[in-house]
Amino acid sequence: MDEDGRDEDPLARALRALGSSDPGVDVVALTAAARGRSRAVRRRRRTAAGAVAAVAVVLPLGLSRWPGLEQPVRTRTAAPQPAVGVPAAALLDDAAVRAVLPSATADPGLSQVVAPGADPDEAGAGVGLCRDDVFGLPATVVAARSAGWSLDATVVQPLQQSVTERVLLLRDGGAREFVLQAREQAGECAADAPESAPWRVLPGSGVGDDSVTGWTTVFAGENPQHRVRVVAREGDAVVDLTAEVFAADEDALVERVQELAADALARAAAEVTR
């Protein structure tokens, strides 16, 4: 402890002891000089430590730029592009179909996939609205997918009921031509419709960009079964939807099927990849 009450370091105590034994020694001057050198040493040490830390940070960042070191090779990977076609998500799901045909279940026998590049005839693009007349558009079909839902016959409803959907992706104006040919053939459905009563037709049913709806009674009686078909397009996607359902109110059934077709077309237009 010095005269001011501060702790002394060992060097100061040694110098003060030396001054006590040798009055000729200037203890104050020696102590001040020693403390100055001590501070200078500490500053040099801090400066050196900072320089080492700076090198540790900068060296990895600049290492690849030093002469004689190989530069890393960077390659760009192209993002995968979705395949052109009609995915399963472009079709209706069970819940949507049951709004028209309650308790219906998916029928694998009514499902088909026509992949891009396959024989266009596999798409079955030539089925007319009320007759099996070929539309004459197979060359424009890029891809297609179909699905179906059914309900077995019962004593009360003696015919199988079903909903079938087909989504087609066409090119070169094929979607527009597809609906046009369906409408042209619908003109013959009222007078010549094999295996059913005459059809009623709405040439423009307000579904999508363009559409045609036809319906008929295939089983008459107190509990009749009706067939309703909607062919509609949006852009180059076409939905061809048919429902064969027992219903007392034919007009209400036609309206429900058209709503289902609008839902189907919205899904198709959003999900097909062109």
Side-chain angles (χ1 to χ4, degrees):
M1 189 78 70
D2 61 13
E3 296 176 355
D4 297 328
R6 295 175 299 182
D7 290 334
E8 291 184 322
D9 56 32
L11 178 61
R13 287 196 300 271
L15 291 175
R16 187 170 295 283
L18 178 63
S20 299
S21 61
D22 187 356
V25 175
D26 189 345
V27 175
V28 175
L30 288 175
T31 300
R35 287 174 174 166
R37 285 194 297 274
S38 178
R39 286 193 295 271
V41 169
R42 286 196 297 272
R43 282 197 301 271
R44 285 196 295 270
R45 286 175 178 173
R46 287 196 297 269
T47 301
V52 170
V55 169
V57 172
V58 172
L59 184 58
L61 298 178
L63 187 61
S64 64
R65 299 184 180 90
W66 285 16
L69 294 179
E70 294 184 1
Q71 300 297 315
V73 177
R74 296 180 175 87
T75 58
R76 292 183 177 272
T77 303
Q81 299 298 317
V84 174
V86 181
L91 276 72
L92 293 165
D93 56 28
D94 296 353
V97 171
R98 286 171 184 158
V100 169
L101 183 57
S103 303
T105 57
D107 187 340
L110 299 176
S111 298
Q112 181 188 23
V113 178
V114 177
D119 184 347
D121 289 335
E122 296 179 12
V127 180
L129 195 70
C130 62
R131 306 191 310 171
D132 293 340
D133 289 345
V134 176
F135 281 177
L137 297 174
T140 69
V141 177
V142 176
R145 183 183 289 263
S146 61
W149 298 260
S150 62
L151 190 62
D152 290 339
T154 65
V155 174
V156 177
Q157 298 172 333
L159 299 177
Q160 184 186 58
Q161 301 179 82
S162 64
V163 173
T164 57
E165 178 193 14
R166 182 173 51 153
V167 174
L168 303 102
L169 178 62
L170 300 102
R171 61 172 178 265
D172 303 331
R176 182 181 294 105
E177 185 66 20
F178 191 100
V179 178
L180 176 61
Q181 290 198 32
R183 182 178 296 111
E184 290 176 347
Q185 290 192 10
E188 303 175 6
C189 293
D192 184 11
E195 300 181 3
S196 74
W199 284 59
R200 297 166 62 189
V201 175
L202 286 176
S205 50
V207 180
D209 294 336
D210 193 13
S211 62
V212 55
T213 299
W215 67 98
T216 188
T217 301
V218 295
F219 181 80
E222 294 182 1
N223 188 22
Q225 186 187 68
H226 308 284
R227 180 182 299 141
V228 183
R229 185 171 178 187
V230 181
V231 177
R233 73 167 181 90
E234 184 160 328
D236 48 12
V238 168
V239 163
D240 186 355
L241 183 72
T242 301
E244 297 197 22
V245 179
F246 284 92
D249 189 337
E250 183 183 44
D251 292 338
L253 175 62
V254 171
E255 185 176 344
R256 290 199 305 272
V257 175
Q258 286 182 320
E259 291 172 354
L260 185 62
D263 182 9
L265 189 59
R267 296 183 190 217
E271 296 293 340
V272 296
T273 50
R274 298 165 174 83

